[in-house]
Amino acid sequence: MTTLPPSLSPSRSQTTCASLLQELQIIWDEIGESDGERDKMLLELEQECLNIYRRKVEMTRKCKADLQNSLAQFESEIAKIVSSLGEHSFSFSRGKGTLKQQISYIRPVLEELRSKKKQRVKEFTETQSQIVKICAEIAGNGQSMMSSDPQVDERDLTVKKLGELKSHLQELQNEKIIRLQKVDSHISMIHELSVVMSFDFLKTVSGIHSSLIDPANGQSKSISNDTLAKLTGVVNSLQQEKQKRLQKLQCLGSTLIELWDLLDTPPDERKRFEHVSSLISSSVDEVLRQGSLGLDIIEQVELQVQSLNVLKASKMKELVLKRQNELEEIYRGVHIDVNSDAARQILINLIESDNVDLSNLLSSMDDQIAKAKQEALSRKDILDKVDKWKHASEEEKWLDDYEK
């Protein structure tokens, strides 16, 4: 049974009531109230006191119920948090004592669990946010998937679940690193190819994605599937263009050398295009010098080849006749009769008709000169013997003339 405080003890309360009642009687006597009125007022006072007691009792009952409800809610919340955190080893008892004592005991425990849950939710939110961010970067959705924080399922905040998320995040981070390395490798390759072929590197790369040149607002380089596919396509396209240009320059370089040899071009003039002739035996991976496969270089070489072809056509008659002179000299050296005038006229008619490839004609004459040299070599022994016989005959005749 609860003990009333001294201010509300029965003896003091009764004394106070008696004193007030006595004062009230004196006032009534002075007023002249009747006994009926006095009884009525006393009855009202008694009823008011009872009502006050009843209200106080109801309020106290409600307070008790509220405390019990709060205690039950605290215990329920503790059970839910413990379950969501997976704290299976956690044990709790409300303890003994009054309801207020039990609440004062359970409240710190609940606050600690709430704090732990809040921290765990924060870890989940941060982990899931990073997962969503990297997935958005890979998918190429930019900021569209990052406008709001991801929803965390607070029914499962266990360490196991968090570990699974962090493991998934680590996989995505590794994937991001690999993709960034691929992006950087492709960009480096594009830069290398752009330097060799005199392409606008910044324009080429920014056309794929602006973040590859100037990442803005803390945004990293794009690593999306679309960006990687475009980078790969550009690299392949530039590599094919490099191969095509190298083959063209190698063909032009070979033509240059043939024309130089044909026209007896001096070394000083050849030196102007030494960088082109050096590419003839180079593989595509060996060509790294800046601007070596630029369109301006190709145009310069094409113009030089055209110029030499014009010069070649103007000097071809002279070259052909020079070859004919050489052929006739060989034949005369081995005492073979040839119709020089007729042969020269045939050559001149062919040149002026424009119906013959002069390069093939020169090549044919070179073959004739080579055969004539072989034939001259085969007659050398006979000619030497004839020369010795002639020399001996001349000496014998001189001796005869001398004796006479």
Side-chain angles (χ1 to χ4, degrees):
M1 180 177 179
T2 304
T3 305
L4 292 173
S7 60
L8 297 178
S9 60
S11 57
R12 185 172 180 179
S13 176
Q14 290 174 1
T15 302
T16 303
C17 288
S19 174
L20 291 173
L21 184 56
Q22 185 178 3
E23 184 178 354
L24 186 59
Q25 290 288 354
I26 294 172
I27 296 172
W28 281 341
D29 289 341
E30 293 176 353
I31 295 174
E33 288 289 353
S34 62
D35 291 340
E37 287 295 326
R38 294 183 182 189
D39 291 340
K40 182 180 178 182
M41 290 184 184
L42 289 173
L43 185 60
E44 289 176 356
L45 286 173
E46 183 179 354
Q47 189 62 42
E48 287 180 5
C49 289
L50 288 173
N51 288 338
I52 290 173
Y53 273 106
R54 287 193 184 98
R55 286 197 299 273
K56 290 295 183 182
V57 170
E58 288 299 322
M59 289 175 61
T60 305
R61 285 176 178 169
K62 186 176 182 304
C63 179
K64 176 185 176 182
D66 289 343
L67 291 174
Q68 289 176 331
N69 185 48
S70 296
L71 191 61
Q73 288 180 352
F74 289 168
E75 290 179 330
S76 175
E77 186 176 353
I78 286 174
K80 289 181 180 179
I81 294 176
V82 168
S83 176
S84 66
L85 295 177
E87 302 285 347
H88 302 297
S89 60
F90 180 85
S91 60
F92 171 76
S93 173
R94 68 168 64 179
K96 298 180 180 180
T98 64
L99 292 175
K100 289 186 176 181
Q101 289 175 335
Q102 293 179 41
I103 288 177
S104 64
Y105 174 76
I106 200 175
R107 192 185 298 277
V109 177
L110 178 58
E111 291 299 328
E112 183 180 353
L113 287 173
R114 283 174 177 172
S115 176
K116 192 170 184 179
K117 177 184 176 181
K118 183 179 179 180
Q119 182 62 32
R120 188 70 60 82
V121 169
K122 181 181 178 183
E123 290 185 66
F124 268 83
T125 301
E126 291 175 351
T127 303
Q128 290 182 194
S129 296
Q130 293 182 61
I131 290 174
V132 170
K133 180 181 178 182
I134 297 177
C135 288
E137 291 177 356
I138 292 175
N141 296 330
Q143 300 292 329
S144 60
M145 295 180 63
M146 300 159 54
S147 57
S148 60
D149 292 333
Q151 295 296 318
V152 177
D153 183 7
E154 297 189 5
R155 295 172 299 178
D156 187 357
L157 299 174
T158 60
V159 174
K160 179 182 178 182
K161 180 67 174 179
L162 181 60
E164 292 174 354
L165 284 175
K166 287 186 175 180
S167 177
H168 181 45
L169 174 60
Q170 185 63 51
E171 292 175 358
L172 289 173
Q173 288 173 334
N174 292 337
E175 173 70 13
K176 180 177 180 178
I177 291 172
I178 294 173
R179 285 172 173 260
L180 278 173
Q181 290 174 344
K182 288 181 179 179
V183 168
D184 290 338
S185 175
H186 286 329
I187 292 176
S188 177
M189 180 63 69
I190 291 173
H191 181 266
E192 178 183 303
L193 292 168
S194 298
V195 167
V196 172
M197 294 187 286
S198 300
F199 273 105
D200 188 337
F201 167 73
L202 294 179
K203 183 179 180 181
T204 302
V205 176
S206 61
I208 298 173
H209 200 282
S210 59
S211 67
L212 300 179
I213 295 298
D214 185 21
N217 300 324
Q219 180 186 6
S220 59
K221 293 178 182 177
S222 174
I223 58 172
S224 67
N225 294 329
D226 182 60
T227 297
L228 281 172
K230 288 181 178 178
L231 283 170
T232 302
V234 169
V235 169
N236 291 336
S237 176
L238 291 178
Q239 287 176 333
Q240 291 174 5
E241 179 66 17
K242 181 181 180 182
Q243 180 71 45
K244 179 180 176 182
R245 291 190 183 188
L246 177 60
Q247 290 176 349
K248 187 169 186 178
L249 270 180
Q250 286 176 333
C251 181
L252 289 170
S254 299
T255 303
L256 266 181
I257 293 176
E258 291 177 3
L259 289 170
W260 286 339
D261 294 340
L262 184 64
L263 300 174
D264 294 326
T265 304
D268 290 343
E269 292 187 23
R270 298 188 184 200
K271 194 171 183 180
R272 288 178 50 217
F273 296 93
E274 186 178 8
H275 60 286
V276 176
S277 58
S278 65
L279 295 176
I280 294 177
S281 59
S282 299
S283 67
V284 69
D285 294 329
E286 293 173 341
V287 181
L288 300 174
R289 192 173 69 179
Q290 181 176 355
S292 58
L293 297 181
L295 289 177
D296 56 334
I297 298 295
I298 296 176
E299 290 174 359
Q300 290 174 12
V301 179
E302 287 177 334
L303 290 174
Q304 180 67 9
V305 169
Q306 291 175 5
S307 175
L308 291 178
N309 277 325
V310 172
L311 183 61
K312 168 188 170 182
S314 65
K315 289 190 174 183
M316 191 58 68
K317 181 177 180 180
E318 177 184 341
L319 293 172
V320 169
L321 295 177
K322 184 178 179 181
R323 295 288 197 282
Q324 179 63 25
N325 288 336
E326 183 179 354
L327 184 62
E328 290 174 1
E329 286 291 333
I330 295 172
Y331 283 145
R332 279 195 293 269
V334 294
H335 303 283
I336 298 177
D337 293 331
V338 292
N339 191 345
S340 300
D341 294 336
R344 286 173 179 272
Q345 190 59 48
I346 291 172
L347 289 174
I348 292 172
N349 292 337
L350 286 173
I351 294 171
E352 292 178 349
S353 68
D354 292 332
N355 291 328
V356 65
D357 188 335
L358 297 178
S359 297
N360 291 336
L361 180 58
L362 280 175
S363 177
S364 175
M365 294 192 72
D366 287 337
D367 292 340
Q368 292 180 46
I369 291 172
K371 291 179 180 178
K373 288 180 178 180
Q374 290 179 356
E375 188 173 353
L377 186 64
S378 66
R379 293 188 174 198
K380 187 175 183 300
D381 291 340
I382 297 174
L383 290 174
D384 288 344
K385 291 178 180 179
V386 170
D387 286 340
K388 289 179 180 179
W389 175 80
K390 288 173 66 178
H391 182 68
S393 296
E394 290 174 355
E395 284 183 348
E396 185 177 354
K397 183 181 179 182
W398 182 83
L399 287 172
D400 289 340
D401 291 340
Y402 179 75
E403 289 176 355
K404 289 178 181 180

